[in-house]
Amino acid sequence: MLAIIYIRVSTEEQVKHGYSLSGQEEACLEKAKEIGAGTLIFKDEGITGAVLERPGLQGALEACKNPDCKHFIVYDPDRLSRKLAHQLMLVDTIEKAGCQLEFVNFEWTDTPEGRLFYSLRGAIAEYEREKFKVRSKFGKLSKARSGLLTHNPRIYGYRYLSEKSSLEINEETAAIYNRMVEMALSGALPEEISLRLNDLKVPGPEGGNGTDKQLGEY
């Protein structure tokens, strides 16, 4: 007997709720151990739960067709999907394939009451996600209207100040940028500029000693 384990995390959820793939996997494996089943593990990392086209999820659903798979374990309903309609459709798909849906921190029962509670929980999760999106959008608009940056544009020659949401000149990299401009205005080709910077061991934006860097990376 096998149990399918599906785990998912997106960056914003990992920060906001403290989810992690390793934490979910450990908890789901413990659940499978209690059931007495072997496991097939499917993961989606950094993918929103608002869409169904996730490689890990699609692989898990395909595995449901295996007659040896009798259980489908998920840490929490939110990990399955962040949309109520998707949650209900996935539950129906999983159960029709012959798998019993199991959650680690939510007791699922295939009864009218169980489905009602599951639907209510899914609706709340969807509401929280939409509320987060509205707040995030409002915050970015407020920053932009105040002349502040909403993110780090990663402009070479400048340093991003996250606490001020602004840029300041980075004297060191600005000097390198000015040197590049001077070489270009003097007629140097991009390849020549790149080789010259490599010879001088000028580090690229992401660090390193500049070896084998291309001009576009500066």
Side-chain angles (χ1 to χ4, degrees):
M1 180 175 64
L2 292 173
I4 296 167
I5 290 178
Y6 174 70
I7 55 180
R8 179 189 67 82
V9 71
S10 67
T11 303
E12 70 181 45
E13 291 167 342
Q14 191 166 11
V15 172
K16 185 177 179 182
H17 300 294
Y19 288 122
S20 71
L21 287 178
S22 59
Q24 291 180 57
E25 183 173 343
E26 183 179 351
C28 290
L29 284 171
E30 185 62 30
K31 184 76 171 180
K33 184 178 179 180
E34 293 174 6
I35 297 171
T39 57
L40 296 175
I41 301 175
F42 298 87
K43 307 177 183 180
D44 280 315
E45 183 173 7
I47 303 179
T48 175
V51 299
L52 289 175
E53 292 304 317
R54 291 171 252 151
L57 176 61
Q58 294 304 316
L61 294 177
E62 183 66 24
C64 286
K65 299 176 183 178
N66 184 339
D68 292 331
C69 293
K70 302 299 183 183
H71 298 271
F72 194 107
I73 302 174
V74 186
Y75 181 77
D76 183 275
D78 288 357
R79 304 304 88 213
L80 196 59
S81 176
R82 294 301 298 269
K83 287 184 174 291
L84 177 58
H86 290 175
Q87 285 186 4
L88 297 176
M89 183 183 71
L90 289 170
V91 169
D92 188 56
T93 300
I94 292 166
E95 292 183 339
K96 281 184 176 179
C99 287
Q100 181 176 337
L101 186 61
E102 306 273 359
F103 294 109
V104 173
N105 68 343
F106 174 76
E107 188 173 351
W108 161 253
T109 55
D110 189 12
T111 63
E113 292 79 9
R115 287 185 176 273
L116 173 61
F117 187 60
Y118 181 84
S119 298
L120 290 173
R121 180 158 179 162
I124 292 171
E126 188 171 348
Y127 163 73
E128 289 180 344
R129 176 178 174 80
E130 293 304 315
K131 185 170 65 174
F132 176 84
K133 287 169 60 177
V134 169
R135 286 178 176 174
S136 178
K137 182 178 180 180
F138 178 77
K140 289 181 178 180
L141 284 173
S142 296
K143 275 189 173 183
R145 287 168 179 165
S146 300
L148 301 176
L149 296 171
T150 60
H151 64 287
N152 183 359
R154 299 185 181 280
I155 300 176
Y156 193 69
Y158 290 86
R159 180 185 296 108
Y160 179 64
L161 304 176
S162 57
E163 67 279 4
K164 296 182 179 180
S165 298
S166 62
L167 296 174
E168 72 172 11
I169 294 176
N170 182 322
E171 298 296 342
E172 183 179 354
T173 55
I176 297 171
Y177 172 78
N178 290 332
R179 178 77 176 276
M180 293 166 60
V181 172
E182 290 172 2
M183 287 190 285
L185 291 176
S186 67
L189 296 174
E191 293 80 3
E192 295 173 329
I193 298 174
S194 179
L195 289 173
R196 180 57 178 160
L197 293 174
N198 286 340
D199 291 340
L200 295 173
K201 304 299 182 184
V202 175
E206 303 301 326
N209 60 9
T211 303
D212 297 327
K213 290 286 184 183
Q214 297 298 317
L215 178 59
E217 297 181 44
Y218 287 94

